[in-house]
Amino acid sequence: MPTVAVDKLELFERLGRSYTTEEFDQLCFEFGIELDEDTTEEVEAAAKRGEPVERAQLKIEIPANRSDLLCIEGIARALRVFLNLETCPQVKLVLPAGGEKDLLTCHIASETAKIRPYTAAAILRNVRFTQSNYDSFIELQDKLHQNICRKRQLVSIGTHDLDTLKPPFRYEARSPTNINFIPLNKQKSYNGQELMTAYESEKHLARYLHLIRDSPVYPVWYDSNEQVLSLPPIINSEHSKINLNTRNIFIELTALDETKLAIVLNIVCIMFAEYCEVPFTVEPVRLVWPDGKETITPDLSSRAMTASAEYINSCTGVSLSALEISDLLKRMTLEAQPSSSNPDEILVQVPAWRPDILHECDIMEDAAIAYGFNNLPKTFPTTNTVAQQLPVSKLCDVVRREWAYAGWVEVLPLILCSHDENFAWMNRKDDCTQVVKLANPKSQEYQVVRTSLLPGLLKTVRENKAHPLPIKVFETSDIVIKDSTAERETRNIRHAAAVWCNKTAGFEVVHGLFDRIMAMLEVPRIADEKKESAKFGYYLREIDDPTFFPGRAASIVYRSGAEEEELNLGVLGILHPTVLTNFEIPYPCSALEFNLEPFLKAGKEPWE
């Protein structure tokens, strides 16, 4: 969850009273947020030592879906409404003096569809900045960028001093070499390519360069004087930089996600419209799209929803009328009133800054918060169940216990790995029929869901190769493969695997480790002379597997007792030198991996 640091005295001033740390912690709990830290004691201790200090802060954890609480303005407003100190504010769109024909116009070029196709804009008029609310304005943009905007990938925000620009504006996409301007806090002009190089060494901006760097065109905003406003999602222009003397703010957003675009614009406007000369007023902007279509943003209209008093009462265990529930919802910034035609129905108006309200269950949750979770009646459930382990978990515990008794160490690698680790580094080929790939991996380390436990074990050995030899590690966990017959078209399979690393290969060690588990599961080994007749047991069959050294690999064959049923459980052998080189392991290793699920006994599941 995001954490917001707010000035303690300013927040209490907005709330109309002071709170002790315990009192404010309780208020946060009742409202559904959490006080993470109060820095008052640290500030006082530093002051006693004669050190320079800042004002005490409250660090508050905010639910990830409450983007309207990412600044002191949003927190204070929501708490004041919750405490019945004020009613929910009404934010209005106000047209210029000349009416709709005088709206500021932005023209969008067709080329923008290649890079960041969606845009929106708004204007805050006659804003009065202080150092405090100016800092909050900047911090809110940073918080939105890091959270709902997904580090500027889905949405990026640009704010400008409107008085330094000449409308109408244009949103275009140009070749990087055809874009020249002085970026924020710089002294000289750069073109698009030069900016990419200049910001490589600046950590706070370098992490965003990949969003447009490899594109043949970069998005850019211009005014009618060909003055660049911004190069989204990277940097604004120094020319239109806002400061404490700025009175009229032009807000522009570009995005890949149209829904989040509207949410972010509404939140930025509504949180700071209170500082306009006429509080809670926003001037809209006309957008002219390449096909000639015109739209006006932002859309601050509320959304109409309905809720059932019976549903809310059944979920919370209370018995409240529709009018009483409506009063509770008003404390959560939702406009609500009972329906005149249906005594059970509640008509709810969801304001534009509450995008977290998506379903009737969200309305129910807000009603429960306003009522007080600690005040909800406590009742015993009408059903009685007894929990127990899944059979496969019991089986895993047998393996884990026996291997731990044998002196092996259990490890828990991640279930995600890179494509190379799962295939190329193991000398295996991807036939695209088994592996589940992530559509949008955050890094090369987490591209696929593993189809084998061995890569994770080998990475563990690599990171611990400085430890005394031998290194003996094992894991019992799931792999995932594609399965078109399953509901989600994937299937989890419980495997067990182990790796021995020493100055000698130790094939006999992993062989003995496997034999021990078979003995515990009461599965006999099938002798060579009985392979033709035995129906139950296991034996090893030599195979050629590129993961293992030639002539030093075997498949594990299992016969369950059913007629003509013979399963390949897994493999064991000495790992190939190229595999060890890929994982940077300087010592020979032997490995074992097999499927545990065939050893499950037929029967009912615990819940059946």
Side-chain angles (χ1 to χ4, degrees):
M1 295 192 297
T3 300
V4 180
V6 299
D7 185 284
K8 180 178 180 178
L9 295 180
E10 182 181 351
L11 179 59
F12 289 172
E13 182 180 344
R14 288 171 178 264
L15 296 179
R17 56 159 288 191
S18 294
Y19 292 83
T20 64
T21 301
E22 293 73 19
E23 289 173 337
F24 189 71
D25 188 25
Q26 181 62 27
L27 174 61
C28 289
F29 173 79
E30 292 174 356
F31 183 65
I33 56 181
E34 183 177 348
L35 177 62
D36 186 50
E37 184 182 357
D38 182 349
T39 65
T40 302
E41 291 184 2
E42 297 175 13
V43 170
E44 291 175 350
K48 289 179 181 178
R49 294 193 298 268
E51 299 174 0
V53 296
E54 297 180 349
R55 285 159 63 101
Q57 291 187 326
L58 298 171
K59 297 181 180 179
I60 304 171
E61 284 193 9
I62 304 299
N65 62 344
R66 289 299 301 268
S67 301
D68 58 306
L69 301 179
L70 290 176
C71 60
I72 189 173
E73 289 79 8
I75 294 173
R77 188 180 306 156
L79 288 177
R80 284 184 60 82
V81 175
F82 181 72
L83 294 170
N84 291 319
L85 298 177
E86 67 178 56
T87 58
C88 183
Q90 301 297 319
V91 185
K92 301 177 181 179
L93 292 180
V94 176
L95 298 175
E100 189 171 324
K101 64 181 179 63
D102 286 345
L103 285 176
L104 187 148
T105 302
C106 300
H107 297 271
I108 294 95
S110 58
E111 292 78 12
T112 58
K114 301 176 183 178
I115 180 68
R116 294 179 78 82
Y118 302 113
T119 188
I123 298 171
L124 297 180
R125 292 283 186 186
N126 299 312
V127 174
R128 297 293 175 181
F129 272 136
T130 63
Q131 187 63 55
S132 175
N133 60 33
Y134 174 82
D135 292 342
S136 181
F137 185 62
I138 302 301
E139 288 170 8
L140 174 63
Q141 295 175 60
D142 288 340
K143 290 291 184 183
L144 290 170
H145 276 149
Q146 295 305 310
N147 291 281
I148 189 173
C149 299
R150 296 295 186 268
K151 297 182 179 179
R152 304 191 188 182
Q153 181 175 4
L154 299 183
V155 185
S156 64
I157 310 165
T159 53
H160 311 274
D161 188 336
L162 183 59
D163 297 330
T164 65
L165 303 167
K166 184 178 180 181
F169 300 144
R170 305 192 313 279
Y171 174 48
E172 301 181 355
R174 294 187 180 184
S175 170
T177 55
N178 293 334
I179 300 171
N180 289 274
F181 69 104
I182 301 175
L184 194 64
N185 299 325
K186 295 287 185 182
Q187 307 300 321
K188 67 174 218 177
S189 179
Y190 297 81
N191 67 31
Q193 284 186 340
E194 293 169 340
L195 269 178
M196 296 297 115
T197 304
Y199 283 131
E200 281 180 345
S201 59
E202 299 189 20
K203 291 183 179 180
H204 68 291
L205 291 175
R207 53 186 169 176
Y208 306 124
L209 299 181
H210 70 281
L211 297 176
I212 63 171
R213 185 171 205 158
D214 297 329
S215 173
V217 292
Y218 289 178
V220 60
W221 278 88
Y222 286 97
D223 72 357
S224 58
N225 289 333
E226 291 297 307
Q227 175 63 52
V228 171
L229 280 69
S230 69
L231 182 75
I234 309 301
I235 195 70
N236 291 342
S237 166
E238 175 70 15
H239 177 82
S240 58
K241 177 180 179 180
I242 65 171
N243 53 53
L244 292 177
N245 296 319
T246 298
R247 291 293 171 263
N248 299 305
I249 303 173
F250 175 67
I251 305 168
E252 48 84 4
L253 286 80
T254 60
L256 300 178
D257 187 312
E258 193 171 13
T259 300
K260 287 184 170 58
L261 172 76
I263 291 171
V264 173
L265 179 60
N266 288 347
I267 289 174
V268 173
C269 290
I270 291 166
M271 291 304 108
F272 288 89
E274 68 178 73
Y275 299 121
C276 294
E277 188 173 59
V278 180
F280 299 110
T281 57
V282 179
E283 182 177 316
V285 171
R286 178 189 291 111
L287 305 179
V288 181
W289 297 90
D291 59 1
K293 178 183 176 182
E294 294 186 2
T295 57
I296 294 177
T297 62
D299 180 6
L300 300 180
S301 59
S302 58
R303 291 179 289 117
M305 296 181 65
T306 60
S308 164
E310 181 182 3
Y311 167 75
I312 294 174
N313 286 331
S314 66
C315 290
T316 58
V318 298
S319 299
L320 301 175
S321 66
L323 179 60
E324 290 172 319
I325 294 175
S326 298
D327 291 337
L328 292 176
L329 293 175
K330 290 176 182 178
R331 295 180 58 200
M332 302 301 294
T333 67
L334 302 178
E335 289 297 324
Q337 62 180 13
S339 170
S340 58
S341 58
N342 184 349
D344 181 60
E345 188 176 57
I346 303 169
L347 307 179
V348 182
Q349 291 293 324
V350 181
W353 64 86
R354 288 297 306 275
D356 58 300
I357 304 296
L358 302 174
H359 186 271
E360 186 179 13
C361 64
D362 299 311
I363 298 174
M364 177 273 296
E365 181 187 13
D366 270 13
I369 291 173
Y371 187 82
F373 284 140
N374 286 340
N375 299 325
L376 295 176
K378 300 176 180 63
T379 58
F380 281 103
T382 56
T383 58
N384 184 26
T385 60
V386 178
Q388 59 177 294
Q389 278 184 300
L390 294 172
V392 70
S393 297
K394 291 182 180 180
L395 178 59
C396 282
D397 283 348
V398 173
V399 177
R400 294 169 62 228
R401 183 170 54 250
E402 289 304 319
W403 283 359
Y405 287 165
W408 292 64
V409 177
E410 184 177 18
V411 297
L412 296 170
L414 299 175
I415 197 170
L416 298 180
C417 62
S418 74
H419 188 275
D420 284 345
E421 289 168 352
N422 201 68
F423 292 103
W425 290 12
M426 299 294 292
N427 291 343
R428 293 170 176 168
K429 293 183 179 180
D430 178 13
D431 59 6
C432 298
T433 63
Q434 295 285 305
V435 68
V436 176
K437 300 179 181 179
L438 274 66
N440 183 27
K442 292 298 182 183
S443 72
Q444 292 184 346
E445 287 185 282
Y446 309 118
Q447 296 174 313
V448 301
V449 185
R450 64 186 178 184
T451 58
S452 169
L453 301 183
L454 291 182
L457 291 175
L458 292 174
K459 286 195 292 183
T460 303
V461 172
R462 178 189 65 197
E463 299 304 321
N464 294 276
K465 60 189 176 185
H467 285 208
L469 297 176
I471 297 174
K472 304 180 290 183
V473 293
F474 76 91
E475 180 185 10
T476 60
S477 191
D478 285 353
I479 66 161
V480 178
I481 63 171
K482 291 181 180 178
D483 184 353
S484 59
T485 63
E487 180 183 1
R488 292 181 174 84
E489 299 189 4
T490 61
R491 180 160 52 93
N492 287 28
I493 304 174
R494 188 65 56 91
H495 273 206
V499 170
W500 163 280
C501 178
N502 201 357
K503 293 182 180 179
T504 58
F507 177 85
E508 70 282 359
V509 178
V510 295
H511 192 329
L513 189 69
F514 178 71
D515 286 344
R516 174 60 181 166
I517 286 301
M518 293 296 101
M520 293 303 301
L521 296 176
E522 300 179 350
V523 179
R525 182 176 181 182
I526 300 174
D528 290 343
E529 62 272 13
K530 296 183 178 180
K531 286 183 181 178
E532 297 297 328
S533 59
K535 295 184 178 181
F536 178 66
Y538 75 96
Y539 66 92
L540 302 183
R541 178 190 295 153
E542 185 178 345
I543 59 170
D544 287 326
D545 187 323
T547 300
F548 298 94
F549 199 87
R552 296 293 186 272
S555 67
I556 303 166
V557 182
Y558 173 62
R559 293 176 181 172
S560 64
E563 287 291 333
E564 299 181 358
E565 184 180 27
E566 195 169 85
L567 301 175
N568 267 327
L569 285 184
V571 293
L572 61 85
I574 300 173
L575 290 172
H576 198 283
T578 58
V579 173
L580 300 177
T581 301
N582 290 335
F583 284 94
E584 302 175 11
I585 299 174
Y587 304 107
C589 295
S590 290
L592 155 72
E593 181 171 7
F594 64 98
N595 184 357
L596 283 172
E597 295 188 0
F599 301 110
L600 291 173
K601 295 181 180 179
K604 291 185 177 181
E605 296 290 352
W607 56 83
E608 294 179 330

